[in-house]
Amino acid sequence: MAGRIVVLISGTGSNMEALVGACRRGDVPGEVVAVVADRDCMGLDIAAGFDIETVKLEPNDFSSRDEWNAVLRDKVAAFEPDLVVSAGFMRILAPSFVDAFEGRAINVHPSLLPAFSGAHAVRDALAAGVKETGTTVHFIDYDVDHGTIIAQERVEIAADDTVGSLHERIKEREHELLPRVCRDLLQGKVRLPR
Ligand code: GRF
């Protein structure tokens, strides 16, 4: 039976799109059953175009952040996911969310963690003048961009790179790396160490 995957996004959703493609080609033994976003974004339209169920949960529509956290956790849990993939989701996940999906929630981040965690990883790597950066897929834990690293890919930085050009090349690697990690997780080849 195909593994059930829920993807969390906030933006263009190119990683989600790559993952859907990999699932539909049979490269990943899973199916993206829902895409959840915290705002209107291009990725939601793309998911709807794939006939995938979409959910939008804007924090401002809730009376408190705690309520939003609880609804997010419950909505995602209702899809009975084998895997929860945060791919460009620009919100910090509450401890209650992390606990609910421990060992089956992963995040993709555009740097070689632990270097350049945070929301401006590509810009920060460029500003630091490093020669290479990359992308990391890791288990989600209580700290941002912090959990056990599953896999990384390196990307060289060119002298004339801009944030846009560098991020595009990083995303090209992410689009291969993320489906590969999802495949390995769903096949039980990778597990959160205890
Ligand atoms: C990716 O680079 C991911 O690593 C980061 O946000 C970006 C999302 O891009 N967390 P997209 O929405 O998948 O195109």
Side-chain angles (χ1 to χ4, degrees):
M1 214 181 71
R4 298 172 62 79
I5 305 172
V6 173
V7 186
L8 310 180
I9 62 165
S10 297
T12 49
S14 68
N15 277 286
M16 174 274 300
E17 195 174 354
L19 183 55
V20 171
C23 291
R24 293 191 176 180
R25 283 194 303 276
D27 296 344
V28 175
E31 183 192 350
V32 176
V33 294
V35 173
V36 179
D38 63 329
R39 62 193 77 177
D40 273 322
C41 59
M42 201 170 118
L44 278 186
D45 295 336
I46 292 172
F50 283 130
D51 277 331
I52 294 170
E53 192 166 339
T54 60
V55 177
K56 186 180 66 162
L57 296 174
E58 291 199 42
N60 285 345
D61 293 341
F62 295 84
S63 59
S64 68
R65 190 50 67 101
D66 281 352
E67 190 195 351
W68 179 80
N69 282 328
V71 173
L72 176 68
R73 180 200 55 208
D74 293 349
K75 284 267 184 203
V76 172
F79 289 107
E80 302 185 342
D82 298 294
L83 204 52
V84 179
V85 178
S86 157
F89 189 60
M90 302 303 285
R91 300 279 169 186
I92 294 172
L93 295 163
S96 57
F97 187 98
V98 176
D99 288 342
F101 304 106
E102 194 193 13
R104 50 190 172 123
I106 61 173
N107 179 47
V108 55
H109 179 78
S111 77
L112 294 173
L113 290 173
F116 309 117
S117 59
H120 304 289
V122 181
R123 186 189 75 189
D124 292 349
L126 263 186
V130 292
K131 298 281 175 241
E132 66 170 16
T133 181
T135 177
T136 302
V137 181
H138 63 92
F139 285 108
I140 293 174
D141 73 3
Y142 299 134
D143 296 318
V144 175
D145 302 329
H146 175 265
T148 303
I149 291 172
I150 302 170
Q152 296 182 305
E153 287 280 344
R154 295 176 181 281
V155 174
E156 265 184 43
I157 298 181
D160 60 350
D161 258 328
T162 60
V163 173
S165 66
L166 179 56
H167 203 170
E168 273 316 303
R169 284 209 312 293
I170 292 172
K171 284 195 190 190
E172 282 172 21
R173 308 308 295 269
E174 292 182 332
H175 297 166
E176 293 167 14
L177 182 69
L178 181 64
R180 216 159 65 222
V181 169
C182 290
R183 178 199 67 198
D184 289 351
L185 282 162
L186 290 172
Q187 290 179 340
K189 290 183 182 158
V190 174
R191 270 182 227 288
L192 178 64
R194 298 259 154 211

